[in-house]
Each structure stands twice: as C-alpha cells, then as structure tokens.
Amino acid sequence: MGKSEVAAENRETIVMRLENYSSRAFDAIALRGNAISNDSKVDRPCGASGEMPVLGVNHFWQLEDVDPVHQAQGIARLRNYLDNAGWMSSHDSSPTVVKATNPHDGYVVWAKAIEDLRRLAVQVSSPCYKTSKLSP
C-alpha cells in the first residue's frame, strides 16, 4: 500500500491500538500527577475516498500538578522508550516536546511539558482510515 492509499479498517480496531499505545506512553513517562482524561477517542476528518469517509482517531490525556523537573524526565523516558521501540522521532522534538511515528502502522505519539502550568499533555493519533463504522 502506497502513502497515498488509505487502508480500510473498523473503528474498534483503531481505538484498541490507540489505547494500547496510550497506555505504553503513560507507563514510559512514569510520573505521578492528576491524570486527566475523559477516556474519549475523538474522530478527526481526513477527507473521503469514494463513498467511504476517511477518518483518524485521537486520544488526548494529561497529567497535572507535575513538577517541571519531573516533566523533563518524563519526556526523556518517553523519548527513550519510543526510540528503543523503533519509532521515528520528528525533527521538531525538543527537551520539552517529543513526537514520534510508528513506521509500521503510522500511529503518532506526541507529548509536551507545559512547565508554567505544571502539566504534561499527551496525544496519540491513528493514521487516516476508510471506515464505515464511525460511531463509538
């Protein structure tokens, strides 16, 4: 399948992968704080392919009340985990931001330390898929 092609997949499979990667990111960050997540997976439009809509799915969560020194350590642990697992880091990563893509399935993990708010934000995103099962 070329980069311009979009795979057909059901939303349940996509959400299951999102939850798996999100859980791994949480474990890798290994920080204490108030975990804030409404546990929703939000569809994002990517266009259309014939009759089928093309969507991706995002899962966003954050840790609040995290000391800025610990935020940087959590970002470093996540970056190390993703690198060791074979994810491709983006060039826009920094000591307070990590963004990496899984080269095998196109999922993306993004995390940012927001020091002045004592918050670490994380988003896991699926690649775009053709799907006829859009509702959760």
Side-chain angles (χ1 to χ4, degrees):
M1 181 169 61
K3 285 194 175 229
S4 62
E5 297 176 51
V6 179
E9 194 155 349
N10 70 43
R11 189 176 190 280
E12 291 80 19
T13 301
I14 295 166
V15 168
M16 195 166 52
R17 284 193 194 124
L18 273 177
E19 289 172 344
N20 185 322
Y21 290 140
S22 190
S23 178
R24 290 180 188 183
F26 182 82
D27 291 345
I29 289 168
L31 288 176
R32 290 187 208 158
N34 299 324
I36 308 295
S37 173
N38 61 7
D39 207 30
S40 68
K41 291 24 170 222
V42 179
D43 293 327
R44 71 176 192 286
C46 298
S49 179
E51 296 291 317
M52 297 179 81
V54 179
L55 295 177
V57 184
N58 296 334
H59 181 222
F60 177 83
W61 54 271
Q62 58 193 8
L63 292 172
E64 293 189 340
D65 198 25
V66 178
D67 185 288
V69 172
H70 296 144
Q71 289 176 355
Q73 294 167 351
I75 291 287
R77 283 190 294 269
L78 178 59
R79 179 179 291 110
N80 187 51
Y81 166 77
L82 294 169
D83 287 347
N84 288 334
W87 291 59
M88 305 301 293
S89 291
S90 172
H91 295 292
D92 62 350
S93 294
S94 72
T96 59
V97 176
V98 63
K99 181 179 179 184
T101 302
N102 185 319
H104 303 291
D105 60 15
Y107 282 73
V108 176
V109 171
W110 169 88
K112 179 176 182 164
I114 307 168
E115 295 175 358
D116 56 332
L117 297 177
R118 299 177 57 87
R119 179 178 299 153
L120 196 141
V122 178
Q123 180 168 294
V124 181
S125 301
S126 78
C128 295
Y129 289 99
K130 289 189 280 190
T131 179
S132 58
K133 297 186 176 189
L134 304 179
S135 58

